Amino acid sequence: QVQVVESGGGLVQVGGSLRLSCTASGLPFDDVAMGWFRQTPTKEREEVSCLSHNGGNVYHANFAKGRFTISRDNAENTMYLQMSSLKPEDTAMYYCAAAPSGTYERYGCMRSAFGYWGLGTQVTVSS
């Protein structure tokens, strides 16, 4: 049984930092791509950052470039999203997801390519 669990969300002030974590079990973690997505009540779920099974193929949405860093520790079956210079528009539910490596290489950081999802962790940036 595959389980994907996010943690690390919370309330942070504008300009602050936050690190999200995601653990996955029940799948070959070192053979799947991982990604972060986010969603608000008024917007569709959008991609934030993704990386390949070995961390070599990294994608960041334009809004994440220069502010967010995605990484993974395959020995710990864990992925991270370090977020800095946070803005109110970063407020959202953040979801972690896993995808087969071949699917990610073909389709990239697309929501539809990711088949295993966590329940999300809320990030709120206050002004």
Side-chain angles (χ1 to χ4, degrees):
Q1 182 180 355
V2 177
Q3 283 192 315
V4 178
V5 180
E6 306 92 338
S7 62
L11 176 64
V12 63
Q13 292 187 333
V14 169
S17 298
L18 208 58
R19 189 178 81 157
L20 305 183
S21 299
C22 170
T23 60
S25 60
L27 46 70
F29 190 82
D30 58 358
D31 198 28
V32 295
M34 298 293 294
W36 288 100
F37 299 77
R38 69 185 189 182
Q39 186 173 15
T40 69
T42 58
K43 290 179 64 177
E44 289 190 357
R45 193 171 299 188
E46 62 179 352
E47 63 273 10
V48 177
S49 303
C50 299
L51 78 173
S52 58
H53 67 288
N54 60 3
N57 183 0
V58 176
Y59 167 88
H60 286 296
N62 285 336
F63 64 78
K65 291 177 181 177
R67 299 191 300 129
F68 295 0
T69 301
I70 188 172
S71 62
R72 64 190 295 163
D73 183 342
N74 286 350
E76 298 294 329
N77 283 18
T78 302
M79 177 184 64
Y80 304 97
L81 184 69
Q82 179 68 48
M83 303 185 293
S84 60
S85 301
L86 284 164
K87 307 174 182 179
E89 51 264 43
D90 294 318
T91 295
M93 184 71 79
Y94 283 71
Y95 296 91
C96 172
S101 290
T103 303
Y104 179 68
E105 295 300 323
R106 180 172 182 179
Y107 296 106
C109 193
M110 290 179 57
R111 184 181 61 187
S112 59
F114 288 75
Y116 301 102
W117 292 83
L119 297 179
T121 186
Q122 178 67 38
V123 172
T124 302
V125 184
S126 65
S127 56

